[in-house]
Structures are given as C-alpha cells and as structure tokens.
Amino acid sequence: MFTGIVEELGVVAAVQPRPAAARLIIDATKVLEDVSEGASIAVNGVCLTVTSWFPRGDGQAFAADVMQETLDRSALGGLSAGDRVNLERPVRLADRLGGHLVQGHVDGVGAVLERRSSTSATSATASGDATEHDRVTFGPDTQWEIVRIGLPPGLERYLVEKGSVTVDGVSLTVVEVVAASASTPASFTVSLIPTTLQATTLGRRAVGERVNLEVDVLAKYVEKLVAAADTTGAGSFTTPIIHSGSRQLS
C-alpha cells in the first residue's frame, strides 16, 4: 500500500526484454536506503517487486520484472533508457498518510490533453500543434499548472470533484470532471503546484503522453456494494447492532 507521495525521481537505466515480460533496471538512491529482496517499490504508480539491487556507476540501481499483463495495462511498456520515473516505497503503519490510500494497481492509461500555466495565457492542447510561443514554460513566476487528462472508457464514474486520483503514482485532487462527448473522451483536471512540477514526472509530461491512472479504491468497493444491494434487494441487509457498555444502539 502506498500514499501517492513521490519520494524521488529515478532514471531508467535499461529495459531488458524477456519472454512475455521485461526487466527494468532503475537508478535510484532514497528508495534503496532500506531495500531488501522482495520489497515493493511503486514505479510511476505501478507496484513492482525488487528482484535485486546493486552498485551502478557512482550510485545504485535496482531490477524489477514486469509481466506482459502489466506492460499491456499500464504505460510502463513505453519506457526506455533515460526516462525519469516516480518512485515510492510502501507506507508503514506508523507513517503519516500524506496523500490517500494507493494500491499501486493501475486501472487504466490516460493521456495528457492540455496543460496551461496559472500565471500566463500560454497553453498546449491536444487539438492542433502548439507553436514555440504557445508551449508552457516553467519559471520563477509559475505558481501552478492546470493539467487536463483524458480518461479511458469506464473510469469516469469513479472520479468526483475534490476526490482523489493517482496519476503516474502521484496522489492528486480532482478539480473538474468532464463527461465524454461525441468527439472527445471523458477527462478530468488537476492543479499542480511548483513542488509537484519539479519533483515528479508530471512537470515533464507533454500533451499526448500516456500516464498511469488509479482511481480511489473506496469508490470501487462502494459501487460493488450498491450493485449487490440492487440485485438482492435492500431488505437482505440487516442493520448492525452496536453495543456500548450497557447501552444498546441500533
């Protein structure tokens, strides 16, 4: 279990093809401080198992095997040497929950549709080619950025305004959810502060690039419970009785 608070940016050192799989070699520092064989590390929001770790150059690296299912259902299949990736170790029970409960299980892959600076009119969108003048730039005057991300079919129902969503392993608050139209997919927007832009891959994701999405697992459990109630009838559920000392609450 993770919280969506990225600990460091790692760098993909190599992608080694395997039969129906791939092995990722990732340069990292902080997440390897207490690593052990079999440990979990979230890579762009995907929970992977550390198979080995070793010195590499002036630093360290770890290896993780990625099965074909994961390559097909996430954006990890598009990684190549030199790419930066968001890294996070699992949360400990004594840790503060800085983001929200994140499983590291990708629900779908979205695409960056638009990003615009909050302090300027410059923007880049998926409709039409952005000129050099139109491209978003980062600088000391940039307060935050608004990023719109397209949703794959079926995920829109799990997102609500001010709810939580994980994008490439980063816990974010949903600003707006836009329903699909005849010509555009459903989408949502998030606001990114300078720290997020600088410390995660989201500051470098260009329009058109793919991102891993994980919705709030609580929404999926609620949907399943409601569906069960609709199928069996509300009368099949009994109201729990809570005992508090000698007083009974029902």
Side-chain angles (χ1 to χ4, degrees):
M1 193 70 72
F2 305 89
T3 69
I5 304 299
V6 173
E7 293 189 84
E8 71 170 311
L9 278 171
V11 177
V12 177
V15 179
Q16 301 172 348
R18 294 285 190 274
R23 173 165 293 174
L24 295 180
I25 308 297
I26 299 174
D27 291 329
T29 303
K30 188 175 181 62
V31 297
L32 299 180
E33 290 176 352
D34 57 355
V35 71
S36 60
E37 186 175 351
S40 295
I41 294 178
V43 179
N44 279 355
V46 181
C47 179
L48 299 180
T49 300
V50 175
T51 57
S52 62
W53 69 100
F54 40 84
R56 204 185 88 85
D58 296 330
Q60 295 186 84
F62 71 93
D65 292 329
V66 187
M67 302 304 295
Q68 190 63 49
E69 173 77 2
T70 304
L71 295 173
D72 292 341
R73 296 175 65 91
S74 76
L76 293 189
L79 290 177
S80 57
D83 287 343
R84 291 173 179 260
V85 288
N86 297 321
L87 301 177
E88 182 192 355
R89 287 171 291 184
V91 65
R92 289 175 289 205
L93 292 180
D95 288 344
R96 293 182 178 88
L97 185 60
H100 70 284
L101 292 176
V102 176
Q103 294 183 295
H105 302 159
V106 172
D107 293 302
V109 177
V112 177
L113 300 180
E114 176 188 8
R115 54 189 313 151
R116 64 183 186 273
S117 169
S118 66
T119 57
S120 71
T122 61
S123 66
T125 68
S127 57
D129 294 331
T131 65
E132 192 64 35
H133 174 72
D134 293 328
R135 297 187 201 281
V136 173
T137 57
F138 309 111
D141 296 330
T142 302
Q143 294 181 4
W144 64 78
E145 256 201 355
I146 308 298
V147 178
R148 180 175 299 281
I149 298 171
L151 285 164
L155 285 191
E156 175 192 349
R157 66 184 184 272
Y158 298 116
L159 269 66
V160 295
E161 292 184 8
K162 306 303 181 287
S164 296
V165 66
T166 308
V167 180
D168 267 359
V170 183
S171 173
L172 299 171
T173 299
V174 176
V175 175
E176 176 189 32
V177 182
V178 180
S181 68
S183 58
T184 59
S187 64
F188 68 98
T189 58
V190 291
S191 293
L192 305 182
I193 62 174
T195 297
T196 304
L197 293 171
Q198 295 167 10
T200 76
T201 60
L202 299 187
R204 301 165 176 82
R205 285 280 180 254
V207 169
E209 286 197 71
R210 290 160 28 107
V211 290
N212 294 320
L213 302 176
E214 181 185 333
V215 300
D216 192 340
V217 66
L218 295 179
K220 292 188 285 186
Y221 279 123
V222 169
E223 180 185 58
K224 184 173 182 178
L225 290 171
V226 171
D230 289 342
T231 301
T232 60
S236 65
F237 291 92
T238 58
T239 303
I241 297 177
I242 304 174
H243 294 277
S244 178
S246 60
R247 184 180 177 186
Q248 177 173 297
L249 304 176
S250 63

